[in-house]
């Protein structure tokens, strides 16, 4: 038994091979699905050989079938289901299938699988608008993944160059149909995505049957498209049942020609837009200048700006009027105050003792310089002072008479 082997008691390789063959022979027949990778019919041969490849993984196996059991519609790239029994060949340790029946997978079955995958990816959010990356206005370089020497390549390059003569392409020619298409497109896509100067990537193919376009609905390629940092345009050119790449890509183009129109702007349209914008700016600027000139003319036509000296003259006249009013008012006030002063002075003079003194009277002061008006307030021998209108007299009391 296998669990009884040890480093000291190993199985010889022939025994292992015999055990594997014994196990495989015990297996019953089963249905297997895959895609025909290679098939070269050998005329006159009893047995035909083809290579069957898994539809998603890089797994393949040889299938043997009697010539009369191989349907004539089966060819390289066909999807088939096989009723077969596994067969092990001990000579080289290879596993193959002995087929008893091969049925081509109908288009309806293929579309059903595509719809199931589409629903699953949509549920994961791979089709969501918010994850779509915007395309640049004018890419520095366009990454182009196309088949070798295909019309799709020419359509993209010619139409893009017609729109923008200076456009630059970074092209990867790979297989876009058949079993090896996905395994070639994914590395090309990843390489272009890693180039810093590639701003957008176009996956282009010029249409085809549902079977021809199957690689663009393969899950590995779709997830590779979703994982890119560079915007991807799907331009498969199939107006019927769209491959799933149209939904996963950031932009769908109906044809390679349409992709060229969507990826680069039209130089003639841009020049026309620039010319139109320049004309609109000129008209707007001319209108603004004319409007401001009208406003300026209206302002300068006003008296205050047309003859600024008028305001000065008016204020000068006002100042002159105020000065004359002030002088008149001051003279009147001075006259009134002068007359009042003269009146007060006359009254003062009339009441002043000096006027009395002018008439010959005098004021007599005692020795204490007090006015002496009663002889009883002095005594004989006291020195008195007589104040005259002009000058004073020093007197001495010689006698007293009391009135």
């Amino acid at each position: 038994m296998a669990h009884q082997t040890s480093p000291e008691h190993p199985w010889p390789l022939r025994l292992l091979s015999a055990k594997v063959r014994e196990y495989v022979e015990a297996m019953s027949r089963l249905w297997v699905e895959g895609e025909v990778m290679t098939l070269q019919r050998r005329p006159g041969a009893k047995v035909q050989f083809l290579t069957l490849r898994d539809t998603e993984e890089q797994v393949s196996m040889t299938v043997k079938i009697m010539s009369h059991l191989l349907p004539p519609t089966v060819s390289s790239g066909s999807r088939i289901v096989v009723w077969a029994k596994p067969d092990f060949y001990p000579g080289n340790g290879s596993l193959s299938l002995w087929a008893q029946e091969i049925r081509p997978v109908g288009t309806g079955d293929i579309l059903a699988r595509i719809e199931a995958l589409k629903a699953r990816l949509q549920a994961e959010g791979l089709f969501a608008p918010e994850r779509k990356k915007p395309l640049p206005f004018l890419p520095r370089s366009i990454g182009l993944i196309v088949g070798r020497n295909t019309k799709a390549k020419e359509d993209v390059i010619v139409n893009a160059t017609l729109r923008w003569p200076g456009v630059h392409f970074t092209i990867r020619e790979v297989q876009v149909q058949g079993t090896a298409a996905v395994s070639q497109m994914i590395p090309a896509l990843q390489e272009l995505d890693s180039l810093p100067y590639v701003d957008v990537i176009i996956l282009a193919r010029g249409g085809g049957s549902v079977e021809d376009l199957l690689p663009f609905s393969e899950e590995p390629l779709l997830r590779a498209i979703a994982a890119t940092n560079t915007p991807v345009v799907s331009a498969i050119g199939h107006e019927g049942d769209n491959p799933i790449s149209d939904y996963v890509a950031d932009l769908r183009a109906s044809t390679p020609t349409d992709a060229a129109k969507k990826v680069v702007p039209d130089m003639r349209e841009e020049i026309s837009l620039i010319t139109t914008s320049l004309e609109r700016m000129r008209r707007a600027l001319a209108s603004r200048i004319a409007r401001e000139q009208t406003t300026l003319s209206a302002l300068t036509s006003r008296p205050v700006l047309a003859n600024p000296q008028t305001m000065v003259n008016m204020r000068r006249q006002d100042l002159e009027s105020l000065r004359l009013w002030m002088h008149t008012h001051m003279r009147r006030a001075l006259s009134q105050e002068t007359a009042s002063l003269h009146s007060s002075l006359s009254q003062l003079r009339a009441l002043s003792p000096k006027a009395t003194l002018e008439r010959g009277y005098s004021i007599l002061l005692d020795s204490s310089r007090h006015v002496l008006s009663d002889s009883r307030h002095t005594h004989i021998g006291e020195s008195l002072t007589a104040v005259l209108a002009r000058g004073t007299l020093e007197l001495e009391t010689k006698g007293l008479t009391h009135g």
Side-chain angles (χ1 to χ4, degrees), residues 158-338:
V158 170
N159 285 280
T161 304
L162 286 175
R163 292 173 64 83
W164 198 273
V167 66
H168 179 267
F169 285 92
T170 302
I171 302 172
R172 296 294 181 268
E173 294 184 346
V174 298
Q175 186 174 332
V176 293
Q177 177 179 336
T179 56
V182 173
S183 61
Q184 292 186 22
M185 284 191 287
I186 291 177
L189 182 67
Q190 293 171 341
E191 179 189 359
L192 292 176
D193 187 40
S194 67
L195 298 177
Y197 53 85
V198 173
D199 293 330
V200 64
I201 300 172
I202 299 177
L203 277 170
R205 176 187 164 88
S209 65
V210 175
E211 292 81 1
D212 293 338
L213 303 181
L214 285 178
F216 297 96
S217 293
E218 294 285 357
E219 187 171 357
L221 178 61
L222 300 176
R223 295 198 178 277
I225 293 173
T228 59
N229 296 314
T230 308
V232 176
V233 178
S234 177
I236 310 307
H238 191 263
E239 292 293 349
D241 299 308
N242 304 90
I244 303 179
S245 61
D246 285 353
Y247 301 94
V248 179
D250 299 289
L251 181 68
R252 175 190 177 270
S254 59
T255 62
T257 299
D258 184 44
K261 294 179 180 179
K262 290 182 176 180
V263 167
V264 294
D266 189 332
M267 179 178 287
R268 289 167 296 184
E269 291 180 3
E270 297 304 320
I271 291 175
S272 176
L273 288 174
I274 292 173
T275 303
T276 303
S277 298
L278 286 174
E279 289 300 323
R280 291 177 60 186
M281 285 192 295
R282 290 192 184 100
R283 289 196 296 269
L285 186 59
S287 176
R288 180 64 180 271
I289 291 174
R291 187 165 60 251
E292 297 302 327
Q293 284 178 338
T294 301
T295 302
L296 184 60
S297 298
L299 291 173
T300 55
S301 64
R302 294 179 181 179
V304 68
L305 293 178
N307 188 8
Q309 192 65 28
T310 301
M311 294 295 294
V312 177
N313 292 336
M314 291 175 61
R315 295 297 176 260
R316 181 183 291 116
Q317 292 174 4
D318 292 343
L319 289 173
E320 184 64 22
S321 299
L322 289 173
R323 188 181 66 82
L324 292 175
W325 176 85
M326 183 179 64
H327 287 176
T328 301
H329 183 75
M330 289 298 295
R331 283 195 295 267
R332 183 182 304 111
L334 287 173
S335 297
Q336 292 175 353
E337 294 301 324
T338 300

Side-chain angles (χ1 to χ4, degrees), residues 372-398:
L372 186 64
S373 59
D374 191 341
S375 60
R376 287 176 295 184
H377 296 158
T378 186
H379 57 276
I380 296 173
E382 182 179 5
S383 297
L384 303 175
T385 301
V387 179
L388 307 176
R390 282 172 290 277
T392 59
L393 295 175
E394 295 296 328
L395 306 173
E396 183 179 347
T397 305
K398 294 294 187 178

Side-chain angles (χ1 to χ4, degrees), residues 97 180 220 234 321 362 401:
L97 295 173
S234 177
S321 299
S362 65
T401 301

